[in-house]
Amino acid sequence: MTEPISLSFSDAIESSRAAILKSQDQHALEQFLDSERIAKLKERDFVDAIKRLFMWSRLEVVDLQILLALDSQAAWALVPDDLAKSCGDTVTDVIGRSIHTQCDAEQWFQLGESVMENLGHHYAAVEAYEMALRVDQHHFSSILSKGQIFCLYPDTQDRALEALELAAQLKPGDEEVWVALGQLHSMHEGKSREAEECFTKAVDLSPTWYTYMYLGDHYLYQQQMPEEAKAAFESALEHDPECCPALENLAEVHRVFYEDYDQAESLLLRSTELFDDREESWVLLGRLLSQHSERCQDAERYFLKALEVNPESGDAAHGLGYLYAIRMHRYQDAIEAFEKSAHLRPGIPYGWSAVGNVNAEFLGRYQQAEQAYQKALQVDPAEVATGLNYVYLLRDCMNRIEDAKVEFEKVEKAESLPQWEAAVPLHRALFAANDGDWDAAEMNLVQAIDSLHGEFPQSSSDDWVRAVVSLMRLGYLPQIQQCFTEHLTDPELKTLPQALEYFKNAKRDPQVQQQLDAIMQSERYYQHGTLEWFVQHIQVRLNALATAAAVG
């Protein structure tokens, strides 16, 4: 082994660099790779050396052996953020120049794993796996890892299936292959049964918390089978009582399917007791208690705890914004929280969209709402919910009908539009009503009602309330009452005509006005689809419109 040297690490690296550049001196290279000596160095010198290493990478002077030796997560973690992508590109370049280098398949595979784990550079990792397969075309781990990366991209999923099926032929008893195949099948509509079979096969081969978690996730999120999901997560906990993801998902089963909020809270608190720094559990606790107006202070405390654990938690910031806006009516605090989530998750449009919603629906600040929606659509121009919110703002709040039509045409071209089959005809009805064509408006309203297929998803309730408010302002209250009374079959939506009757009568009957005031104070309005919910949310929007008119 190379004797420790007395020079500072930076000086030693500089000396090694010169030797490598001059003659590819193997002794100098060994000095650089001496892990025992590196481990004894001061952190400042080590950081400096790593930075130098990757600056040299840009100059194409890094030897493949250096890359193969950098299997320490601590070393990769010190790579400056602005160099991460170029480091991945450099790895690819070095691999390309090293086709004839004498490395075995396992070395190439380990390089790919290191690049994947520490740089997240998928293309460079695949290049390393391909090099491993040049050496050994049946290298199982490289085939599996390559298939797992191909699963991540729609245009390479055919290649993923090919790789994973080959891996299953090579090692049919490896549970990780069946997990990967299950994940791939679950990404495709109509492949739910195949996915279940793969996850079940993985459990049969290796009944561990890991395999039970994947099976439970599939039952919960893909098939909505609560009993099966519950059993799978409980089995995961039998194998690992400290498995926080199992506790969290089991809590979701109790919350969503059984409405057992106490049990859900108990499971999540158990997770935080096991690991106080578990951000996900604190966020889920905040979301759970946000559903209860009497627990708003607890929900706020949990979201703030999640942000204390991870100040970069966009999920916690977004949840806090929802709590402030919908439950606590602290609208400026909500805007600040949503803006924070937008900055923390720059590739996700929902933060800016929420800023727009609060400004438009609660504060009547339409210019600020428009700016926020435009920022959200810059992040994702095809985001349908934001696009429809923007259309509503332009047409029904700002009376910019032609601008709204232009934006609506953009929304109609979105690939995900079929998921919004009720919202789209609602907007068409509102355009027709603005043009004074009630027959066309009613036709589209009936189409929207028929598209519900007898069910009332909570996600579309806001769209119905906004449509009602807009039609009321246009003078169509009697017509929409008759339309809803004749065509609504869903027991929740049938309360809409009753809500409209309250507003019609409240103007001339003080007793009804008192009832309306009582409804506004009712805790039941938090339940989507109830009479109280519709009355309260219609009133909120009318108040925002009145505020905006007064400001204007």
Side-chain angles (χ1 to χ4, degrees):
M1 178 178 291
T2 306
E3 291 297 321
I5 58 177
S6 58
L7 297 173
S8 72
F9 189 53
S10 295
D11 291 338
I13 293 303
E14 200 64 41
S15 174
S16 298
R17 173 180 179 272
I20 292 170
L21 282 172
K22 183 177 180 180
S23 62
Q24 293 293 303
D25 187 309
Q26 186 63 31
H27 178 72
L29 186 58
E30 289 174 357
Q31 285 188 325
F32 181 84
L33 300 177
D34 188 341
S35 58
E36 287 190 7
R37 180 170 53 76
I38 290 176
K40 299 176 183 177
L41 297 168
K42 294 181 180 179
E43 182 178 344
R44 185 183 62 187
D45 287 336
F46 189 43
V47 172
D48 180 60
I50 294 296
K51 286 182 178 179
R52 286 173 185 267
L53 168 65
F54 284 97
M55 287 303 293
W56 301 339
S57 298
R58 286 174 150 176
L59 300 175
E60 299 187 356
V61 297
V62 172
D63 189 278
L64 177 64
Q65 294 181 57
I66 296 178
L67 291 174
L68 290 171
L70 271 178
D71 57 359
S72 164
Q73 189 170 4
W76 285 108
L78 292 170
V79 178
D81 290 340
D82 63 330
L83 288 180
K85 185 179 185 304
S86 65
C87 289
D89 292 335
T90 296
V91 171
T92 303
D93 291 340
V94 171
I95 292 172
R97 298 195 308 271
S98 307
I99 293 176
H100 302 295
T101 302
Q102 295 301 311
C103 296
D104 61 31
E106 187 62 24
Q107 285 180 299
W108 284 117
F109 168 71
Q110 291 299 335
L111 174 60
E113 293 292 280
S114 184
V115 170
M116 182 69 182
E117 179 180 356
N118 299 299
L119 290 181
H121 198 291
H122 295 171
Y123 180 73
V126 168
E127 287 290 301
Y129 301 142
E130 293 285 7
M131 291 300 297
L133 294 171
R134 284 181 179 231
V135 179
D136 177 3
Q137 63 177 338
H138 294 131
H139 190 262
F140 169 78
S141 298
S142 295
I143 295 170
L144 174 59
S145 293
K146 185 175 70 169
Q148 289 170 326
I149 291 178
F150 285 155
C151 284
L152 302 175
Y153 303 97
D155 58 343
T156 59
Q157 287 179 357
D158 288 343
R159 297 172 68 186
L161 182 61
E162 180 183 348
L164 294 176
E165 287 181 341
L166 175 58
Q169 292 174 17
L170 292 172
K171 284 192 178 182
D174 188 285
E175 75 279 2
E176 194 172 352
V177 175
W178 297 104
V179 166
L181 276 167
Q183 289 178 292
L184 180 61
H185 287 310
S186 67
M187 297 175 187
H188 295 86
E189 190 174 352
K191 292 288 186 178
S192 181
R193 179 58 59 187
E194 290 86 343
E196 180 184 0
E197 290 174 355
C198 289
F199 290 131
T200 302
K201 175 79 169 178
V203 167
D204 291 342
L205 288 169
S206 178
T208 63
W209 71 267
Y210 166 79
T211 53
Y212 275 116
M213 277 298 301
Y214 278 103
L215 181 61
D217 283 350
H218 179 72
Y219 285 137
L220 175 59
Y221 297 110
Q222 299 293 326
Q223 295 186 309
Q224 286 79 52
M225 297 170 62
E227 286 298 319
E228 290 80 357
K230 180 172 176 287
F233 295 135
E234 288 174 345
S235 295
L237 287 168
E238 289 176 5
H239 287 82
D240 181 2
E242 296 186 356
C243 180
C244 290
L247 290 169
E248 291 162 353
N249 285 358
L250 192 55
E252 281 295 282
V253 172
H254 283 282
R255 180 185 72 84
V256 175
F257 293 99
Y258 304 132
E259 296 185 0
D260 187 346
Y261 301 116
D262 291 339
Q263 179 64 11
E265 182 179 5
S266 175
L267 289 163
L268 292 172
L269 286 173
R270 178 177 157 194
S271 177
T272 61
E273 289 168 0
L274 289 169
F275 298 97
D276 184 62
D277 60 351
R278 177 79 181 173
E279 170 202 339
E280 294 86 346
S281 294
W282 293 115
V283 170
L284 289 172
L285 275 167
R287 289 176 182 167
L288 174 68
L289 298 188
S290 292
Q291 307 304 312
H292 306 281
S293 59
E294 71 277 7
R295 301 289 301 276
C296 286
Q297 299 298 328
D298 290 332
E300 180 183 23
R301 178 164 53 86
Y302 290 142
F303 282 130
L304 292 174
K305 175 64 177 180
L307 286 167
E308 177 187 326
V309 170
N310 178 17
E312 304 297 310
S313 174
D315 289 341
H318 197 88
L320 194 60
Y322 174 87
L323 175 70
Y324 287 151
I326 305 301
R327 297 290 182 256
M328 304 179 78
H329 312 298
R330 291 163 51 181
Y331 300 125
Q332 191 54 47
D333 288 337
I335 287 173
E336 292 176 5
F338 285 134
E339 286 180 342
K340 180 173 182 176
S341 77
H343 289 300
L344 289 173
R345 304 185 297 185
I348 299 176
Y350 306 129
W352 289 119
S353 185
V355 171
N357 293 343
V358 174
N359 277 304
E361 298 178 14
F362 298 111
L363 301 176
R365 301 194 310 206
Y366 299 146
Q367 298 295 335
Q368 293 92 325
E370 181 176 14
Q371 293 171 5
Y373 288 144
Q374 287 174 345
K375 288 181 179 178
L377 291 169
Q378 286 174 0
V379 175
D380 184 359
E383 215 288 295
V384 173
T386 303
L388 292 175
N389 288 339
Y390 190 24
V391 170
Y392 171 78
L393 174 75
L394 292 171
R395 181 193 56 228
D396 302 279
C397 300
M398 305 178 78
N399 199 33
R400 288 163 50 184
I401 308 299
E402 294 306 314
D403 289 340
K405 289 180 179 178
V406 170
E407 293 301 321
F408 189 62
E409 287 178 1
K410 296 178 184 177
V411 172
E412 288 183 302
K413 297 176 182 177
E415 292 183 2
S416 59
L417 192 63
Q419 301 175 19
W420 301 84
E421 58 178 342
V424 171
L426 275 178
H427 278 274
R428 290 179 181 142
L430 291 170
F431 278 116
N434 272 277
D435 292 337
D437 187 350
W438 173 251
D439 290 339
E442 183 177 26
M443 180 186 70
N444 280 286
L445 275 177
V446 173
Q447 181 184 345
I449 292 168
D450 291 343
S451 70
L452 294 173
H453 307 297
E455 297 181 357
F456 178 53
Q458 292 186 5
S459 59
S460 68
S461 55
D462 282 341
D463 296 312
W464 286 94
V465 169
R466 293 192 306 191
V468 165
V469 169
S470 297
L471 292 169
M472 286 172 61
R473 293 176 67 229
L474 291 170
Y476 289 110
L477 178 56
Q479 290 92 329
I480 57 177
Q481 279 187 282
Q482 181 179 352
C483 178
F484 288 158
T485 301
E486 292 177 358
H487 295 282
L488 287 174
T489 57
D490 184 273
E492 293 182 340
L493 270 178
K494 283 182 74 69
T495 61
L496 253 176
Q498 295 175 259
L500 300 181
E501 194 68 26
Y502 270 104
F503 287 102
K504 184 173 72 174
N505 295 329
K507 295 180 179 179
R508 59 176 182 265
D509 189 335
Q511 186 175 0
V512 175
Q513 182 62 53
Q514 290 178 358
Q515 293 175 319
L516 179 60
D517 292 339
I519 286 174
M520 292 293 291
Q521 301 300 320
S522 171
E523 293 298 330
R524 287 192 64 216
Y525 79 80
Y526 289 119
Q527 302 174 27
H528 282 254
T530 61
L531 171 62
E532 291 83 358
W533 189 92
F534 282 118
V535 169
Q536 196 269 351
H537 281 260
I538 291 171
Q539 187 65 63
V540 165
R541 281 172 173 77
L542 289 172
N543 289 343
L545 290 166
T547 300
V551 172

